[in-house]
Amino acid sequence: MLKTLSLARDRLRSKAPLSSSPTSSSFTFRVLSSPFSSKRHAPKASKEEEPPLKESVLLYPKDPSSTPKLFLVQPRLSPPKFLQAKLNEALCLANSLEEQRHGYFESDFFDKELPSHVVVQNPVARSPKAHVDTYFGSGTVDNIKCHLNAEDSKEEVDAVFVNAILSAVQQRNLERIWEKPVLDRVGLIIEIFNAHAHTKEAKLQAELAALMYKRSRLVRVRGTDGKQTFGQFGEAEVVSARGRAASKGSGFVGGAGETELQLQRRRISDRKLRLLSQIKDARRTRLLQRAARRRQGGLEGKSLATIAVVGYTNAGKSTLTSALTRTALYCNERLFATLDPTLKSAILPSRRKVLLSDTVGFISDLPIQLVEAFQSTLEEVVEADLLLHVVDSTAPNIEEHRSTVFHVLNQIGVPEEKLKNMIEVWNKIDYEEEEEQVEDMHYLDDGKGEEEEEEAAELIDGSIAEETLEASEAAVEEDQIENQEDDSDGWLLSDENVSDSELWKVPEDAKLVAAQKNGPDVRVSALTGVGLKELMYLIDERLKGEDDKLRSQTVVERSELQSRKWRPPRKDDEELAVEQ
Ligand SMILES: Nc1nc2c(ncn2[C@@H]2O[C@H](COP(=O)(O)OP(=O)(O)OP(=O)(O)O)[C@@H](O)[C@H]2O)c(=O)[nH]1
Ligand SMILES: [Mg+2]
């Protein structure tokens, strides 16, 4: 089984050629329309009732058996190892977008075809600012369109996934040029969150994230006829009479009426308020449960310690939690398999009972507000007594993964003391051994890889590479970028005032804390069980250390209190008081 897994993973790691891959997916289902174009929200002048927003934020209708066929566009990164890692992650993201049926995914992750993809020149490589209108230069945009047409002629592509963070305007313009819904990195991750959420709380949080994202995507662009239009297909501007009467004071005709943009914003704001209040209720329940757990206590009247298992998505958090608690949590190769925190108990070597909390994984380049939508869930992490940071030791960009986790933990407010005490667990050490064993029978070693890499080089260094920045900038049509009202509420970091190079940079604070740790505290294989005993002893030790710290703190506080209470006022003190 292990071998199959490694082979399959190997396949995903190495097969993704750095070029357009005309592999046709086995997905046969269709996206009816994009949630991010307004096609599906064709304005209805008279209807004022609450739209089914949960549905409107989704990429495809909630048919559990439906999976969209995505076409991936990966901006080139260097070094090639980093590009390969990012490309593999993007392919995994694309294949992770799937609804579960009765708690299970229809297909085996590795039975799925790799999504068709193309590596293109990275616009931020030459200039910190990408093209404000279409992100990519015009040559790249046209080239992608050709690839899309070619792909479409074989099997219809439902949406284009650009593995970068696009502004609303860039997204809308690309949608118009490519005539396909476009998802950027944040959009796809939100879609996955929505598809994988199970519990009421996770669903609410995922919907909130989608809603905030959707609000940031509401833009008006100037259409080909020069008129302001709201949607991709130039829907009418004024869609309801609301506001007319109010603006005139009486009568039923007057004022400018409500535009589609205002109507959508209002609906989103109303829904957001309702969602926030529901999340608040769920949070209250969680707080009560946590307090009850603390009261319940462990051995010798101690409170029951909670250990939060954190880490990059797919690092093996659920597998490790299952192994340590001897339970069977849901584990899957799909990214963001876990969205709902789960608590399981374990007995440490000292016979102390603890709770392990498995939670949502982190990923690079996500805006803080997305994390904020999951604040209620992530509170478990902030409140935990100890953190276990699970790292996939086989990840080629392991440093980026580590830094991302430190960054998110900083963002959600984990105290520095807790970060220092965190146990870093390098997981999947069995994989290296496996890799060595299967190297000779590497089924991808069929000579195709090189050929495909050459193609990639052609694509990157050929027509697209020749296109100069100046030329593409000249191609920016002024009327397309005029009035680029980006209503992101400062939510998306992709706003034009934040350069994309900033987004891809590991934040300094995260680097600092990550650098303080030189390596793993323990190396394990959650799958085979190697290193788990050592890990359990380490948890015991760290918790004891925490207890001792707490005890000495309490003793100091108590003695301070006593001395304050019983100490008779000294002469020096009296003098000091008089001076003051
Ligand atoms: N070879 C190997 N595979 C592992 C190990 N631990 C986990 N995996 C595999 O890695 C994949 C992801 O594991 P999960 O436990 O679901 O990872 P996770 O961190 O919980 O992922 P998310 O919930 O999606 O964030 C699964 O296919 C596991 O079987 C390990 O020690 N060795
Ligand atoms: Mg998990």
Side-chain angles (χ1 to χ4, degrees), residues 384-398:
D385 299 278
L386 184 67
L387 302 182
L388 280 195
H389 177 189
V390 186
V391 182
D392 179 350
S393 62
T394 67
N397 48 344
I398 191 167

Side-chain angles (χ1 to χ4, degrees), residues 2 5 313-319 331-338 361 427-428 430-431 525-527:
L2 189 58
L5 178 76
T313 181
N314 212 43
K317 300 176 294 297
S318 304
T319 314
C331 311
N332 198 283
E333 259 317 307
R334 282 169 183 79
L335 305 187
F336 302 110
T338 309
N427 189 29
K428 308 193 185 182
D430 61 284
Y431 198 77
S525 163
L527 216 60

Side-chain angles (χ1 to χ4, degrees), residues 132-151:
V132 286
D133 58 339
T134 51
Y135 186 76
F136 300 109
S138 57
T140 309
V141 172
D142 292 346
N143 206 309
I144 295 167
K145 172 99 174 151
C146 292
H147 280 273
L148 258 174
N149 289 345
E151 201 54 41

